[in-house]
Amino acid sequence: MHTVEPDVVTDVLVVGSGPAGASAALALSTYGVPNIVVTRCASLADTPRAHITNQRTMEVLRDLGIEEEVVAKATPQHLMGNTTFCTSLAGEELGRVRSWGNDPLVQAAHELASPTRMCDMPQHLMEPVLVDAAVARGTNLRFSTVYKSFVQDADGVTVTVEDRLRGDEYTIRAKYLIGADGGRSQVAEDAGLPMGGRMGVAGSINIVFDADLSKYTAHRPSTLYWVLAPGATVGGIGAGLVRCVKPWNEWLIVWGYDVTAGAPDLTTEYAESVVRKLVGDDEIPVTIKSSSAWTVNEMYAETYSHRRVFCAGDATHRHPPSNGLGSNTSIQDAYNLAWKLKLVLDGTASEKLLDSYTAERAPIGRQIVTRANRSIGETAPVFEALGGLSPQTPEQLWANIAARKEDTEAAQKQRAKLREAIAFKVYEFNAHGVDLNQRYDSAAIVPDGTPDPGFDRDPELYHQPSSRPGAKLPHAWITSGTRTLSTLDTVGKGRFTLLTGIGGAAWVGAAEAQDLEIATVVIGPGQEYEDPYGDWARLSEVADGGALLVRPDGYVAFRHATAAASGEDAERLLTEAVRRILGHADGNRSR
């Protein structure tokens, strides 16, 4: 048992103020859970780092009440999508991919899938929004505070931290610890979380700079410009990359280095030479702001927790930035965990509920690590079409690029091969299914006994809405009086929600009889919510008298396709489901 009196006491201690840690704190404070965030850094992120913010993350931020602020500061979706392949920004263009939902067909799918739009929100802009909202709602934040170690017992975790300003150590006693301390997570290491994969697969360099590149970019607005130049295949992402931070004056370049030889000396002169190489203009004024080296990793945690210690974000999934999945998955990890901690801390749920965190998020983490690393390999065919993978001189690569313009059968085949290779990058730039098709299978989901129909189309490329237990509640526009709102707007806010229709009065009564707070939403003509377009009727996959029980994170936990036989039957079924979800039912896995 804990005997030494700690210096500070809280319910949840979060180590790290990046997307995972900041969003965990925001959700916990929104739910009224006392929490402290410590970060070894003296400030929030000062470089753009993660940036693609997909629809599922925007749904999370919508529920947490900060969607509008993010939209106001982000680059909008319509300026993200002309992903361009070129020899340099000023050089030859080889082709484009309509990306990030800007292909007309994909754009329609985005509109149908969610009330939100994806955007480009660089991490140095995102972190202050998350942290400011968390602190405003009750989070205590401590900069320049280094996590040192933890000891846990049956009742909590005692964490030793060092104040870097004073140079002394003190202890924080928490009921739970969240390690959101990044790709070199000390918390994950100390917790002994088993990892699969490997670190240090390849080397990359980030160069942040200011330059007015509007004459090369404004006519083909994009988040990413891929440069196929000599040496571009070396390193972590398969090509040289010019990334827009803010149109069209703030930029970040990613360039590779041979990880076996070590990172080059990142002088201002070196950084500027790389910028000039990829921009292709020696005259344009350039201001180098920062340079840093990093390694591409392919590692994922097989278990996300050890007793009272939980890890999230890059601590559990480490991968290159391909697909733009990093901060999205990190924020969604935290969102999945926060409501569960809240219900366990207030005594509503058993600690068994927390087992579902690993069961639900570890498969997602593994999927996105695999997907991001696969995207690197999917760049190779673009080079291959230009004969740029075999050892050769720069002059030979330029000759191969020029050859595609000739009126010959060989050039015609080369053009077709290049078009096909660039088009295949849709798996990186328009993987809508990767963003939205996450399905959970855990003790916090009650199967409804129906066979899983699977997916009609490629589940990485195409989102397929479903109300099956374990799927995210489908989005449909409904009305309430003069308001138009999404079905997703009726759920969340830290509580469970039961959705039903005309004929579902027994379910409403059953929800009101639970000890758990369950909001009720009745959709139908003359009800509080109506379905004027008929969209919900098509998507709900239940009859008017059926019911869906939706968790605080917007995932369907229980489904009954038809009306209950009686009020007693509805109460029995719902009570059994709630007990199972909260970890009170017999037969659940023990901690």
Side-chain angles (χ1 to χ4, degrees), residues 334-363:
Y335 188 61
N336 179 287
L337 178 60
W339 69 268
K340 297 173 181 176
L341 286 172
K342 187 259 186 188
L343 293 182
V344 171
L345 284 163
D346 70 13
T348 300
S350 159
E351 282 197 336
K352 293 175 184 175
L353 172 62
L354 299 174
D355 290 343
S356 66
Y357 175 58
T358 285
E360 293 175 356
R361 295 306 299 172

Side-chain angles (χ1 to χ4, degrees), residues 87-293:
T87 59
S88 69
L89 292 190
E92 283 197 55
E93 183 176 308
L94 303 170
R96 303 180 197 176
V97 179
R98 295 184 182 94
S99 307
W100 313 121
N102 282 286
D103 178 282
L105 293 176
V106 180
Q107 189 173 36
H110 276 237
E111 292 278 346
L112 291 169
S114 175
T116 68
R117 289 179 178 270
M118 73 182 309
C119 61
D120 189 294
M121 183 66 169
Q123 189 169 336
H124 69 304
L125 301 180
M126 177 70 88
E127 281 187 21
V129 174
L130 295 169
V131 169
D132 288 353
V135 170
R137 297 176 196 181
T139 294
N140 285 299
L141 172 65
R142 292 293 178 270
F143 288 114
S144 300
T145 303
V146 182
Y147 160 83
K148 303 294 286 187
S149 63
F150 72 79
V151 178
Q152 61 177 321
D153 52 54
D155 303 312
V157 189
T158 301
V159 180
T160 301
V161 299
E162 178 189 352
D163 186 310
R164 295 177 77 176
L165 296 180
R166 296 191 313 228
D168 61 338
E169 294 184 353
Y170 63 95
T171 57
I172 301 174
R173 177 72 174 173
K175 292 171 183 170
Y176 294 97
L177 169 64
I178 298 177
D181 49 337
R184 298 182 181 90
S185 173
Q186 189 64 46
V187 176
E189 185 172 326
D190 291 349
L193 299 190
M195 297 278 180
R198 61 196 178 108
M199 297 280 277
V201 177
S204 284
I205 298 161
N206 280 4
I207 301 168
V208 182
F209 67 101
D210 289 342
D212 181 359
L213 302 182
S214 54
K215 68 178 178 179
Y216 300 124
T217 56
H219 64 286
R220 48 184 180 182
S222 181
T223 285
L224 304 174
Y225 299 83
W226 293 80
V227 180
L228 278 68
T233 53
V234 176
I237 58 169
L241 176 63
V242 183
R243 176 189 137 196
C244 179
V245 176
K246 270 292 184 183
W248 303 110
N249 299 290
E250 296 181 40
W251 300 89
L252 184 150
I253 270 178
V254 184
W255 186 245
Y257 69 89
D258 182 353
V259 74
T260 61
D265 187 8
L266 300 180
T267 63
T268 300
E269 292 72 24
Y270 174 83
E272 187 169 327
S273 72
V274 175
V275 170
R276 297 288 181 198
K277 181 186 185 83
L278 271 62
V279 172
D281 184 337
D282 290 339
E283 304 301 322
I284 205 159
V286 170
T287 302
I288 305 296
K289 297 169 78 172
S290 68
S291 302
S292 58

Side-chain angles (χ1 to χ4, degrees), residues 189-502:
E189 185 172 326
D190 291 349
L193 299 190
M195 297 278 180
R198 61 196 178 108
M199 297 280 277
V201 177
S204 284
I205 298 161
N206 280 4
I207 301 168
V208 182
F209 67 101
D210 289 342
D212 181 359
L213 302 182
S214 54
K215 68 178 178 179
Y216 300 124
T217 56
H219 64 286
R220 48 184 180 182
S222 181
T223 285
L224 304 174
Y225 299 83
W226 293 80
V227 180
L228 278 68
T233 53
V234 176
I237 58 169
L241 176 63
V242 183
R243 176 189 137 196
C244 179
V245 176
K246 270 292 184 183
W248 303 110
N249 299 290
E250 296 181 40
W251 300 89
L252 184 150
I253 270 178
V254 184
W255 186 245
Y257 69 89
D258 182 353
V259 74
T260 61
D265 187 8
L266 300 180
T267 63
T268 300
E269 292 72 24
Y270 174 83
E272 187 169 327
S273 72
V274 175
V275 170
R276 297 288 181 198
K277 181 186 185 83
L278 271 62
V279 172
D281 184 337
D282 290 339
E283 304 301 322
I284 205 159
V286 170
T287 302
I288 305 296
K289 297 169 78 172
S290 68
S291 302
S292 58
W294 51 279
T295 59
V296 171
N297 304 311
E298 188 170 2
M299 183 170 278
Y300 47 86
E302 293 161 356
T303 302
Y304 279 25
S305 67
H306 175 60
R307 296 168 60 198
R308 289 178 172 268
V309 179
F310 296 81
C311 286
D314 289 357
T316 54
H317 34 82
R318 305 164 189 180
H319 55 88
S322 322
N323 287 81
L325 296 167
S327 65
N328 291 291
T329 309
S330 300
I331 290 169
Q332 292 164 38
D333 286 347
Y335 188 61
N336 179 287
L337 178 60
W339 69 268
K340 297 173 181 176
L341 286 172
K342 187 259 186 188
L343 293 182
V344 171
L345 284 163
D346 70 13
T348 300
S350 159
E351 282 197 336
K352 293 175 184 175
L353 172 62
L354 299 174
D355 290 343
S356 66
Y357 175 58
T358 285
E360 293 175 356
R361 295 306 299 172
I364 306 300
R366 182 170 186 166
Q367 178 200 14
I368 64 109
V369 169
T370 303
R371 176 67 259 166
N373 279 277
R374 191 184 304 158
S375 290
I376 295 174
E378 290 167 354
T379 305
V382 182
F383 280 93
E384 190 179 332
L386 300 168
L389 288 179
S390 54
Q392 57 183 273
T393 64
E395 290 73 21
Q396 183 60 53
L397 177 60
W398 299 133
N400 293 347
I401 289 172
R404 81 191 196 287
K405 293 181 279 190
E406 296 172 1
D407 182 17
T408 64
E409 185 176 345
Q412 184 175 328
K413 288 180 179 177
Q414 183 188 23
R415 290 192 293 270
K417 193 174 181 181
L418 181 61
R419 285 195 300 270
E420 184 179 329
I422 289 174
F424 193 72
K425 292 297 287 179
V426 70
Y427 274 94
E428 177 170 357
F429 304 130
N430 271 322
H432 201 211
V434 174
D435 294 345
L436 293 180
N437 281 342
Q438 298 175 8
R439 303 284 172 87
Y440 292 157
D441 181 10
S442 75
I445 299 293
V446 181
D448 67 353
T450 61
D452 186 345
F455 293 91
D456 298 335
R457 297 189 291 176
D458 188 323
E460 287 197 335
L461 287 184
Y462 303 103
H463 168 52
Q464 184 169 317
S466 173
S467 72
R468 286 184 61 77
K472 181 176 72 72
L473 182 73
H475 154 68
W477 291 114
I478 57 177
T479 59
S480 179
T482 58
R483 288 192 306 140
T484 298
L485 68 162
S486 169
T487 46
L488 300 183
D489 295 327
T490 69
V491 304
K493 302 171 185 64
R495 61 186 180 15
F496 281 74
T497 307
L498 183 128
L499 287 82
T500 188
I502 295 172

